Each structure stands twice: as structure tokens, then as C-alpha cells.
């Protein structure tokens, strides 16, 4: 079923087997403009930009996911199910729940806990904590080491809610479930990878801290989170 309702690409060969998925369409554009050569845009529906190009002579795609689990749930499912994509690496921002995670640190999610019903409603997955694909995470760790980029592994909170009325809700996620950072997409991505028998990982850059109250600007998040991009780009084939 291509093109799909949300991806206006009529040829699945235009999309690489590996897709990097930032939330922000402008971050996808920045990555394509900055790091890729021979770039072709394969999607522009709703300004969710998708590009395919070459990194060091190897082919890779990048496409935005939008914000939240319903959004990444749609795009990652369509890429896995209808465009034969084999692995998706989310490259996003996160808020730190832990004092060991500082602004601009690069974090590899080992697993994600969520209160969301997305995995169960989508494919009957009852677990509240879903793991990233271990073999893909191992590749990412080797790449980070080769690039001399300090990579911190952590269990993360994948939340449906950005604004909590309970301002100390994050402490429950940290103390009760061992979550060290929060974002809003990875559980849906991991659930789709499980249901489609594909691979998924999540690389994050800490954009703010619940501990120190440091924050980054939207412009910094768009163009300065390059270390995680450089790691993920090395997965090009």
C-alpha cells in the first residue's frame, strides 16, 4: 500500500533500509543538509520531511517523526510495514531525571517504561517496559567508542504527557521504575519494531534537567545535537 496516507513516496526503493528519525522536521532537514550527499526528498506530507542520501558513500534515510507516540507510531509503522525499512534509530532530545545525566550528554536507551496503552492497543503487548533491539544497541556502542564519544546507557521514561499537574511526578518515575530521563516517542517505536519483527534503537541528547533546571533553546536542539547524529549516521549501509 504505497504511497501511504502519510508518506507520499510511490517507490519503496527511494527509502534506505536504515532510517534515522528525529522528532523535529527541521532537525531532519539540518541532518540531510549538513551530513548527506546526493540527497533526494521522498516525503513532504504535513511537512514531515524525509530524505535519502549518502554518508561516507553509504546510503541512509532520515525522516521526522513529529511529537508523541501516536505520531511516531504512524510513521515508523508505515516505514516498517510498507516500505521494507529494517531498522529505525530515533535521535531525539530528553529531560534528565538523574544527576549523572547532564545537558548535552548522549544517552542510549536500553529500555523504555511507559504508562501508555499504545503497545497493548496496537498489537496486544502487555509489558509496560519495552527494550530496544539489543544487537542494534551493541553496534551503536561500538561506533560511539570508535568515535570517542562518551555514551551513557539508561532506562528512560516514554511519556504521553509533557505538562504534568503534579510537578514531582518525575520523581515517581525515577524512584519506582528506575527511569533516568524522559522523552515521548520510544515505546511506540519499540512496539512497532517488535510487532513487525524489525529493529529499533533510541539515541537521545539531554536538552534539560529536572535536577539542575538547565535548559537548551529550540535552535540549539535543532542544530547542535550533532554527536548523536554522527553516531547514528555510521549505521548507513
Amino acid at each position: 500500500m504505497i504511497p501511504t496516507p502519510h508518506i507520499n513516496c510511490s517507490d519503496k526503493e527511494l527509502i534506505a533500509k536504515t532510517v534515522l528519525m528525529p522528532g523535529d522536521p527541521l532537525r531532519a532537514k539540518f541532518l540531510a543538509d549538513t551530513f548527506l550527499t546526493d540527497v533526494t526528498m521522498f516525503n513532504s506530507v504535513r511537512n514531515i520531511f524525509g530524505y535519502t542520501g549518502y554518508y561516507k558513500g553509504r546510503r541512509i534515510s532520515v525522516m521526522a517523526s513529529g511529537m508523541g507516540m501516536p505520531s511516531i507510531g504512524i510513521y515508523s509503522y508505515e516505514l516498517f510495514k510498507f516500505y521494507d525499512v529494517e531498522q529505525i534509530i530515533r535521535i531525539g532530545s530528553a529531560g534528565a531525571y538523574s544527576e549523572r545525566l547532564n545537558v548535552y550528554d548522549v544517552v542510549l536507551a536500553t529500555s523504555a517504561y511507559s504508562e501508555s496503552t499504545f503497545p497493548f492497543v496496537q498489537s496486544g503487548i502487555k509489558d509496560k517496559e519495552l527494550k530496544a533491539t539489543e544487537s542494534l544497541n551493541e553496534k551503536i556502542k561500538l561506533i560511539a567508542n570508535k568515535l570517542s564519544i562518551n555514551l551513557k546507557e539508561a532506562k528512560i521514561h516514554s511519556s504521553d504527557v509533557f505538562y504534568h499537574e503534579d510537578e514531582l511526578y518525575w520523581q515517581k518515575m525515577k524512584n519506582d521504575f528506575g527511569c533516568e530521563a524522559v522523552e515521548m516517542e520510544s515505546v511506540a517505536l519499540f512496539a512497532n519494531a517488535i510487532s513487525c519483527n524489525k529493529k529499533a534503537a533510541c539515541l537521545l541528547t539531554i536538552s534539560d534537567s529536572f535536577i539542575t533546571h538547565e535548559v537548551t533553546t529550540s535552535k540549539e536542539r535543532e542544530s547542535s545535537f550533532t554527536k548523536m547524529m554522527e553516531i547514528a549516521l555510521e549505521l548507513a549501509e
Side-chain angles (χ1 to χ4, degrees):
M1 185 185 73
I2 58 172
T4 66
H6 309 95
I7 304 175
N8 60 343
C9 178
S10 58
D11 182 357
K12 63 178 66 177
E13 296 301 319
L14 294 177
I15 303 177
K17 298 301 182 184
T18 297
V19 177
L20 309 186
M21 188 161 269
D24 185 353
L26 292 179
R27 195 181 302 162
K29 184 179 187 302
F30 170 84
L31 193 154
D33 290 345
T34 305
F35 294 101
L36 303 186
T37 60
D38 299 323
V39 176
T40 301
M41 176 183 276
F42 65 79
N43 190 62
S44 59
V45 176
R46 296 174 181 252
N47 284 338
I48 294 293
F49 304 136
Y51 306 90
T52 298
Y54 290 84
Y55 181 72
K56 298 181 179 180
R58 307 191 305 273
R59 195 162 180 262
I60 197 164
S61 293
V62 56
M63 179 176 166
S65 71
M67 287 194 293
M69 281 181 257
S71 187
I72 197 172
I74 290 170
Y75 294 113
S76 62
Y77 187 85
E78 291 184 1
L79 289 170
F80 281 145
K81 194 75 172 180
F82 305 116
Y83 287 96
D84 297 337
V85 168
E86 291 297 324
Q87 55 187 23
I88 296 175
I89 300 89
R90 166 164 154 69
I91 47 174
S93 57
Y97 287 168
S98 170
E99 56 277 352
R100 80 177 184 98
L101 301 181
N102 302 306
V103 170
Y104 289 109
D105 278 354
V106 181
V107 176
L108 176 65
T110 55
S111 64
Y113 174 87
S114 184
E115 317 93 322
S116 174
T117 59
F118 182 99
F120 180 75
V121 174
Q122 196 270 346
S123 54
I125 298 172
K126 295 180 180 180
D127 295 333
K128 288 293 187 179
E129 180 181 344
L130 300 184
K131 292 183 178 181
T133 304
E134 186 174 353
S135 61
L136 187 51
N137 270 15
E138 288 301 317
K139 286 184 181 179
I140 289 169
K141 287 190 285 185
L142 288 172
I143 290 167
N145 185 60
K146 182 179 178 181
L147 295 176
S148 298
I149 295 174
N150 185 28
L151 187 65
K152 296 182 178 180
E153 297 179 78
K155 177 180 174 179
I156 62 172
H157 174 206
S158 195
S159 180
D160 269 335
V161 177
F162 189 88
Y163 295 106
H164 279 279
E165 288 297 312
D166 179 359
E167 294 182 358
L168 298 180
Y169 185 80
W170 66 273
Q171 293 183 357
K172 174 181 173 64
M173 292 296 105
K174 178 184 177 183
N175 296 334
D176 293 357
F177 302 104
C179 299
E180 293 191 86
V182 60
E183 51 82 75
M184 301 185 71
E185 288 82 21
S186 60
V187 156
L189 173 61
F190 294 170
N192 280 343
I194 291 167
S195 64
C196 295
N197 196 28
K198 300 296 180 78
K199 298 177 181 179
C202 179
L203 272 169
L204 301 165
T205 300
I206 298 300
S207 60
D208 58 280
S209 172
F210 284 73
I211 306 293
T212 66
H213 305 293
E214 293 176 274
V215 296
T216 56
T217 67
S218 58
K219 187 63 177 177
E220 288 171 327
R221 292 192 295 274
E222 177 189 323
S223 60
S224 298
F225 290 3
T226 54
K227 288 183 179 179
M228 68 176 173
M229 297 178 187
E230 291 169 7
I231 295 170
L233 283 162
E234 288 292 337
L235 293 163
E237 300 176 352

